[in-house]
Amino acid sequence: MSWNARWKWSAGAVAGLAMALSLAVGPRRVEAGSKPDPKDLMDRSDKRHRIPGEHLRARMVLQNEGGDRRTLQYESWVVQDDEKGDKMRIEFSAPADVRGTVLLRVEDPDTKTDRQWLYLPAFHRTRRLGEADLGDRFVGSDIFFEDMKRRYVEDYSYKLVGEDTIDGKPCWVIESRPFSERVKRESPYGKARLWLRKDILFVVKSYQFDRQGRPLKEMRVKSLRRVAGRAWRADRVEIVDVQRHHRTVVVVERRDLPRSIPDELFSKHRLGSR
Amino acid sequence: MAAGLVLAAALACPWSRASADALRTRLVVEEGSGGAATARVVARRFRQAVRATWGVSLVGDGAVADAELKVRVVRLRRRVRRFRLEVVFSSLGDASVRAAASVVMRRRRPSRIVAARLLRKLVRRFRRELARARRRWRPGTERGNGEPADEAAGEEGGAGDEQRGEEPEEVSEEVSSESGAEDFSSDWVEEEPEFAEVPDEEAKGDIERAWEVSIATEHYRYLEDPPALSMAVPPGALGADEPTPGRDSVEFMLEARLTAENAEGRARFSARRDFSMPERDRATFTEAYGEFRQGPVMVRGGFLIESWGTGTLWSPSDILNPIDLRDPLDPEKLGLWALRVGLLFGDLSISAYYLPVPAAHLLPPVAGIALDGTVQSPSRWVRGRLVAADADVMPRFVSGGAQLREPSLENTQAAARLAWSGKKTDLAVSYAYMFDPFSTPAATVLAAGPAPTLRIDFYRDRLHVVTAEMEGVVGRWRFEADAAAVFPMREKLSAASVAMGPDPEDPVPYLAAVVGGDWQSAQFGGDHSVHLYLDLVFVFGLDGDLPDDPIGKLRFPFRRTAMFRFEYDAGRDLRFGVDAVSALDGFDLLVRPKVRYRIADLIEVRAYGAWLTGGDDGFFGTFDDNSRAGVELKASY
C-alpha cells in the first residue's frame, strides 16, 4: 500500500493555481500624481477576481532543466465562499499511476486552516491527511502549499517599490512580506515582488525569495482573459524554481463557470464518485 | 535463493544536488533453469533523459509443441520506440519454427509545432548572423566579439491577452514618471535556467479518456524448499507432491468508465495467467457497477468493492468483500454483488447495503488429510496436523457436512453505515448482518475408545458485526482507531449430518482492534520525504480462546502485533520502503523490503522481498521457509 507522500500537500493546489496566484483588485481611479496604497490595491485585487464557482480541466507539466518531463492531467472544482470557506476538489486523470486519485480541501474560515482528504482508487479508500508544511511541494511540482492556500491580504505587509512594463502593459511593482505571526512562522517565503497590472489589477509576474532572502521562484502568467464580470484568469502559468532548476507549467484546457456547484461534490463521503 | 534468480542493482545518485537528477539504475532479473518466464529490465536514467529497455519472455510447455513468446521494447529516442515480438515453436518433431517482427513507432508530433520550432530556429539564426554582420562592418567594432544584444527579443511574447469585451482601463495615470527606470532584478539570479518549450497544443486531447489498459508481469521465487510431505501419503496421491515454486504471472487489465452528469458506469476486467499457480488464472470482471446520483441521494449497484475502516496496514472493519487469501502475504480484495443507497446530510453520511449473494474468501487449497492427521496441500501456506505427532491413538476422520450459502431470501445479507466528518476527526459506525466468509472447521467425536472416530464439518456461520472507526489529525500526525466486534450464530447442518452425532461447540465471538497513526516529514532535498506508520493490533475472544487450527491461524494471523512501515521517497520516481510485522508476546516476525522505480510515466518496476522468521507456534515462524524475493513490471496506458 502506498499512501503517496507526494499527494499529501495542498488538496486544492493546482486547480486554482491560476486563481490563487492572481491577487487582483476592483476598480478605483487613481488620481494623477497620487501614490496608491499597495495594501488597498492588493485587497481590491483579491476581491475583484474571486469567483463563486469554477470548473477546470488542465494539465501540469513538471520539467527539469535536462528535459525530463512528467505531465499530470486533472479536473478540478473550486468554490470561493467568504462565509463558509473555500473548497477545492481535484481529480487526476493521467498518468496511470495517479488516475482516479481525488484530493479534497475544505477551508475553515474561522481558523484559516484546511481539512484535507485523499481518495486512492487502488484501495477504494478515503484517507484524511495531516496538515502539510507550507513549504512542501505539491505532487513534486514547484507549487508550494503556501501558493495554493487562500492568501488573506491582512496576513502580509506591502510596499510599492515602483513601476514596470510586462508584455507592453504597465504594472505596479509591489513587495510583500509576511505580516501575521502565523504566516511569519509557517511561510517558506521571506518576501515576494509582485507585478500587478494597472488596468486589470492582476499579478502577471512575481519573484519569490526564501526566508534567507535568496531568489527562489519566478512566476509568470500568460493567456490572460476575462472570464466573468470583472474577474480575470490566466490559462497558462509558468513557475521556475531557480534553486533546483525545475519548472512547472500549468495549462488550462477548459474553464467553465457553473452557476452553482453541488455541495455533495465537496463531501469526504463522495470522493469515490462524482 | 532459487536457482537462476539473479538480482543486481547499482545506484549512483548525487543526492546532495536535487536538481542534478542524475541516477543510473541497472536491474536484471533472470530465471534461467528452464523456468516459465523471464523478465529483463535495463534502465539508465541520465541527467537529461531516460533510456530504458524492457522485455518479457513467456515459455509454455504444450502437448504438441513448446512455445516461447518474447516481447521487447527499446526506447531509441525521446519519442521513438522499437517493439519486437518474437514467437518460437520448438519440439515440433525435429523442427522448430521462429517468427519475429519489429516495428519502430514514433509518437506523433503535430507538424505545425515542428514547423513553428523550425521557423523560430531559422529566425534566431538569421538575427544572430545579421547582428554579427552589423558588428563586422561597424567602424571600430571587433569582429566576432560577443553575441548580438537584441537576440531573441520578444521571444516570449507569443501568448498575448485575449481581452474579450475589454473594459475601460480603470487607472488613468501612472504614479511616477520613472516607468521602467528601476532595476527589479538586481537581487535576482544572474543566469536563469533554460527549459524545453511546452507547447499549448500538446495540452489538447485525452483528458476525457475513460479507459485504461495495463499489462503487468510478476515473478517471485521462494528462497527455500518446503518441508517434506508426510510419508504416509504416496507421491501424487493427493496432488500435493508439487508445491508451488513461486509466482510467474502475466495479467492484462482493462478499465472503462462512462460518466454523465448524474450517473456513472465503471467496469474493470482482468485476464491473468499464472504459470506456477494455475488456480490463480482468471478472465473475469473484478468490478462492474452503475451509479445514479440526485442531490444528496446516491444509488450504486453491481459487482462492487467497498472499503470500510481507517487502519492503514490492517483494518478489522473492512469486512464486506471476500478476499483471495491463497497468498496471505499478497491478499487481493474481490468484488461482491451489492446494492448501496447513500444519503448525505452535510458532513453526515448514511448508507444502506443489500448483499444478495453470500461470498466466501478464497483460501489455500487443501488436498486432503493423511492417515497420520497431516493436512496435505499444494499450497505452501497450509501446514499442520489434526492430531499431535506423538499421540497414543490415531483417530479416523470422517468428512462431515459443509454449509453452502446460495443466493436466496433466507440467505440475504444487509449492512448499514453512519459516517461523520468533523473539523479534526472523522468517525464512523457500521453494522452488518452477513455470513462468515471463512469456513470454520469443527470436529465432533463420533466414537471414543481405542479407535476413535472424528467428524469434520465446515460451517458458514451467520455473523452480527459491529464496527467503529476514528481518524484524526494533529499537525503532521494522523491518528487512527478501528475496531470490529464479531458475534457468530451457528446454524445446524443438514439433518443427516447432525444425526451422525452431537453438535460441536459454538464458535467464539471476538473483538479485533487497531490503534496507531502515521507521520510524514517535511520535504527535504527538493521532493524527498520520509513517511512512518505504526499500528498496534489486538484480537481476543470475548467468550473463550480463539481457535488455533489452520483456518483459525489464517483468520487471526495477528493477535497482539505491532505493524510498522517506513517509506522514503527519493525524488519523484524512486521509493524505498520496509514493512515489518512483529508479535508483541513472542518472537514472530515478517520483514518486507521493497523498491519502486518509475522508468517513465507509463512503466513502473518494483522489486521486493519477504523474510519470515519466528517460533513454531507463531504465524510467520510456522511458514519461515516461505521467504521470497520477486520483481514486478507494470505498464499502463
Side-chain angles (χ1 to χ4, degrees):
Chain A
M1 196 179 300
S2 58
W3 307 115
N4 196 336
R6 69 188 71 227
W7 293 113
K8 184 156 185 175
W9 326 126
S10 71
V14 203
L17 181 63
M19 286 170 282
L21 295 173
S22 61
L23 302 175
V25 189
R28 189 182 299 176
R29 292 186 85 82
V30 177
E31 297 303 325
S34 68
K35 197 171 183 180
D37 176 13
K39 187 175 180 184
D40 182 50
L41 287 176
M42 299 306 292
D43 187 43
R44 284 184 288 145
S45 171
D46 180 47
K47 286 173 182 157
R48 172 174 177 166
H49 294 285
R50 283 177 69 78
I51 295 177
E54 196 167 358
H55 173 216
L56 294 178
R57 285 183 177 175
R59 70 177 170 134
M60 182 192 293
V61 182
L62 316 181
Q63 200 177 17
N64 68 21
E65 204 176 7
D68 195 7
R69 182 190 289 186
R70 174 172 164 82
T71 302
L72 304 165
Q73 288 182 312
Y74 63 90
E75 193 168 359
S76 71
W77 293 260
V78 182
V79 164
Q80 295 185 323
D81 188 325
D82 288 334
E83 290 184 4
K84 296 180 181 175
D86 293 356
K87 297 171 186 171
M88 207 172 278
R89 173 189 171 122
I90 306 178
E91 189 169 332
F92 287 84
S93 58
D97 60 338
V98 298
R99 185 171 295 136
T101 302
V102 183
L103 288 153
L104 175 65
R105 195 186 84 188
V106 178
E107 184 201 32
D108 180 357
D110 298 330
T111 60
K112 295 182 182 177
T113 56
D114 295 329
R115 292 186 285 163
Q116 292 186 92
W117 293 270
L118 176 71
Y119 176 75
L120 293 159
F123 305 104
H124 297 79
R125 182 165 286 183
T126 299
R127 178 179 164 83
R128 192 161 187 146
L129 298 180
E131 289 174 18
D133 194 285
L134 294 186
D136 287 340
R137 295 170 188 281
F138 173 63
V139 294
S141 73
D142 300 296
I143 301 165
F144 289 166
F145 184 54
E146 158 94 1
D147 300 325
M148 307 320 306
K149 282 176 75 79
R150 180 179 177 188
R151 282 188 177 141
Y152 288 89
V153 174
E154 63 269 21
D155 284 342
Y156 298 83
S157 64
Y158 303 94
K159 180 184 173 188
L160 187 63
V161 294
E163 297 174 38
D164 199 357
T165 302
I166 301 290
D167 292 335
K169 301 288 183 184
C171 301
W172 277 302
V173 183
I174 295 173
E175 227 170 61
S176 77
R177 291 173 188 269
F179 179 72
S180 72
E181 287 304 318
R182 182 182 62 85
V183 178
K184 271 185 190 173
R185 188 174 59 247
E186 298 176 357
S187 175
Y189 302 124
K191 70 172 178 180
R193 191 169 299 146
L194 312 169
W195 277 256
L196 189 71
R197 247 176 72 165
K198 291 181 175 181
D199 54 349
I200 58 173
L201 297 170
F202 196 92
V203 175
V204 292
K205 178 182 173 182
S206 71
Y207 284 163
Q208 279 143 329
F209 299 78
D210 63 16
R211 296 168 74 98
Q212 286 76 41
R214 296 171 302 199
L216 179 58
K217 292 196 302 189
E218 177 182 358
M219 185 276 295
R220 289 195 73 149
V221 302
K222 295 181 177 176
S223 302
L224 278 169
R225 63 192 181 99
R226 199 170 66 168
V227 291
R230 312 175 64 78
W232 286 64
R233 289 290 182 267
D235 282 347
R236 184 181 170 108
V237 180
E238 296 184 6
I239 304 165
V240 176
D241 187 325
V242 296
Q243 289 188 0
R244 69 167 183 160
H245 289 214
H246 193 274
R247 181 168 77 159
T248 299
V249 181
V250 178
V251 181
V252 177
E253 300 172 356
R254 183 174 145 189
R255 187 191 301 273
D256 305 318
L257 303 177
R259 197 162 285 177
S260 67
I261 300 179
D263 279 346
E264 292 81 27
L265 208 57
F266 300 102
S267 168
K268 170 229 174 181
H269 310 292
R270 288 281 174 90
L271 291 191
S273 66
R274 188 175 292 174
Chain B
M1 184 182 294
L5 181 65
V6 181
L7 179 65
L11 298 174
C13 184
W15 302 115
S16 56
R17 271 197 71 197
S19 61
D21 229 0
L23 174 65
R24 177 181 295 184
T25 305
R26 179 178 170 81
L27 178 65
V28 178
V29 180
E30 289 185 348
E31 198 262 12
S33 57
T38 300
R40 181 186 296 272
V41 177
V42 179
R44 288 198 181 96
R45 177 173 173 171
F46 296 105
R47 186 183 178 86
Q48 296 193 351
V50 175
R51 304 272 185 268
T53 303
W54 64 272
V56 180
S57 180
L58 307 176
V59 181
D61 298 329
V64 180
D66 296 339
E68 186 175 4
L69 174 69
K70 292 180 180 177
V71 180
R72 194 163 67 170
V73 182
V74 180
R75 176 179 167 150
L76 300 177
R77 288 197 300 280
R78 190 166 156 233
R79 290 172 181 271
V80 184
R81 304 284 189 280
R82 184 175 65 209
F83 296 85
R84 179 181 169 83
L85 179 68
E86 185 176 340
V87 183
V88 182
F89 291 100
S90 55
S91 304
L92 279 168
D94 293 329
S96 66
V97 179
R98 180 185 296 262
S102 287
V103 58
V104 175
M105 297 186 69
R106 183 187 302 272
R107 266 167 60 196
R108 192 165 62 87
R109 177 186 290 176
S111 57
R112 54 183 171 164
I113 298 176
V114 178
R117 282 186 176 174
L118 196 61
L119 189 62
R120 269 199 296 274
K121 273 188 178 177
L122 285 173
V123 169
R124 207 175 299 164
R125 182 79 176 270
F126 174 73
R127 284 181 170 177
R128 195 179 298 138
E129 293 300 326
L130 188 63
R132 281 181 184 160
R134 279 179 180 164
R135 278 200 303 273
R136 202 173 299 146
W137 294 102
R138 195 179 300 160
T141 306
E142 291 184 17
R143 295 180 63 176
N145 184 18
E147 290 295 314
D150 59 344
E151 183 181 352
E155 191 72 18
E156 292 292 326
D161 302 352
E162 297 173 23
Q163 301 187 11
R164 294 181 301 180
E166 175 69 51
E167 63 196 37
E169 303 214 344
E170 302 296 342
V171 181
S172 61
E173 190 136 347
E174 296 173 359
V175 178
S176 73
S177 58
E178 301 170 2
S179 178
E182 297 96 334
D183 180 9
F184 300 110
S185 301
S186 60
D187 53 357
W188 197 244
V189 290
E190 292 180 2
E191 187 178 349
E192 297 202 354
E194 294 182 359
F195 300 93
E197 190 181 356
V198 178
D200 285 344
E201 287 80 354
E202 218 174 74
K204 309 296 181 194
D206 54 2
I207 194 166
E208 291 188 48
R209 183 176 59 212
W211 55 273
E212 176 186 338
V213 177
S214 302
I215 299 174
T217 175
E218 188 175 5
H219 181 91
Y220 71 66
R221 279 287 175 272
Y222 291 107
L223 303 181
E224 292 179 39
D225 292 330
L229 289 173
S230 164
M231 294 304 291
V233 183
L238 295 170
D241 56 342
E242 291 183 3
T244 174
R247 176 175 295 178
D248 302 289
S249 70
V250 178
E251 186 167 12
F252 167 84
M253 288 157 284
L254 175 67
E255 178 181 350
R257 178 178 164 187
L258 195 64
T259 305
E261 188 179 350
N262 289 323
E264 181 179 324
R266 184 177 296 201
R268 286 194 178 96
F269 175 79
S270 164
R272 183 170 64 197
R273 175 83 173 99
D274 192 325
F275 297 93
S276 292
M277 286 182 69
E279 60 268 28
R280 290 186 71 245
D281 292 355
R282 69 179 181 187
T284 182
F285 284 96
T286 55
E287 199 176 6
Y289 64 81
E291 179 182 302
F292 173 77
R293 301 175 296 269
Q294 184 64 53
V297 180
M298 187 267 280
V299 180
R300 179 184 287 188
F303 198 56
L304 305 184
I305 292 181
E306 289 283 323
S307 284
W308 289 0
T310 56
T312 304
L313 305 178
W314 185 59
S315 184
S317 294
D318 199 7
I319 52 169
L320 286 189
N321 287 89
I323 302 172
D324 183 347
L325 285 167
R326 289 174 296 186
D327 180 354
L329 294 188
D330 188 17
E332 188 178 6
K333 202 183 257 192
L334 305 172
L336 173 76
W337 289 103
L339 177 69
R340 173 187 169 189
V341 178
L343 277 172
L344 205 58
F345 301 101
D347 289 328
L348 182 68
S349 163
I350 301 172
S351 299
Y353 296 81
Y354 170 65
L355 314 167
V357 183
H361 291 331
L362 289 178
L363 303 179
V366 174
I369 299 168
L371 297 178
D372 64 352
T374 312
V375 180
Q376 305 295 313
S377 169
S379 169
R380 300 177 57 132
W381 295 97
V382 176
R383 301 277 165 82
R385 50 197 311 141
L386 300 183
V387 179
D390 54 354
D392 294 334
V393 290
M394 190 58 62
R396 190 169 68 91
F397 294 98
V398 176
S399 179
Q403 283 178 318
L404 300 174
R405 299 295 183 180
E406 301 295 334
S408 68
L409 200 59
E410 187 187 3
N411 288 342
T412 289
Q413 305 169 105
R417 180 174 173 83
L418 198 66
W420 175 77
S421 58
K423 285 190 175 180
K424 292 280 184 186
T425 310
D426 293 348
L427 300 171
V429 290
S430 311
Y431 167 75
Y433 180 62
M434 56 187 291
F435 283 106
D436 192 343
F438 280 99
S439 287
T440 306
T444 308
V445 179
L446 295 181
T453 301
L454 292 179
R455 189 187 79 208
I456 307 295
D457 296 308
F458 288 91
Y459 287 85
R460 293 281 309 284
D461 299 321
R462 268 283 188 188
L463 302 179
H464 292 281
V465 186
V466 179
T467 74
E469 309 153 27
M470 184 279 286
E471 68 175 329
V473 293
V474 178
R476 302 183 79 88
W477 293 86
R478 174 185 168 276
F479 299 97
E480 63 195 24
D482 187 342
V486 180
F487 302 93
M489 297 191 309
R490 178 145 296 175
E491 296 175 11
K492 289 182 183 298
L493 291 169
S494 67
S497 177
V498 172
M500 292 176 68
D503 274 354
E505 289 182 2
D506 283 342
V508 179
Y510 64 92
L511 177 72
V514 168
V515 290
D518 60 82
W519 171 86
Q520 184 158 18
S521 74
Q523 290 174 335
F524 54 93
D527 44 10
H528 294 224
S529 65
V530 169
H531 205 154
L532 302 175
Y533 303 79
L534 178 66
D535 275 347
L536 299 177
V537 177
F538 302 95
V539 182
F540 48 87
L542 295 174
D543 186 19
D545 293 333
L546 297 172
D548 216 18
D549 54 63
I551 292 182
K553 276 191 172 181
L554 206 56
R555 185 201 293 262
F556 309 111
F558 318 119
R559 303 198 180 185
R560 270 170 292 279
T561 306
M563 297 181 171
F564 174 76
R565 173 176 291 175
F566 165 83
E567 282 180 348
Y568 169 42
D569 281 324
R572 69 186 189 199
D573 296 328
L574 187 61
R575 170 179 288 175
F576 301 92
V578 177
D579 286 4
V581 179
S582 173
L584 292 174
D585 50 3
F587 176 50
D588 198 32
L589 180 65
L590 165 70
V591 180
R592 305 183 70 183
K594 55 194 173 184
V595 180
R596 189 208 66 185
Y597 181 57
R598 193 164 49 214
I599 300 172
D601 278 353
L602 304 180
I603 303 173
E604 185 177 293
V605 63
R606 194 168 63 94
Y608 58 86
W611 179 59
L612 298 86
T613 185
D616 290 340
D617 53 345
F619 182 78
F620 304 121
T622 305
F623 300 105
D624 59 359
D625 48 8
N626 282 354
S627 297
R628 67 199 192 194
V631 64
E632 183 182 25
L633 181 72
K634 186 175 182 182
S636 304
Y637 176 74

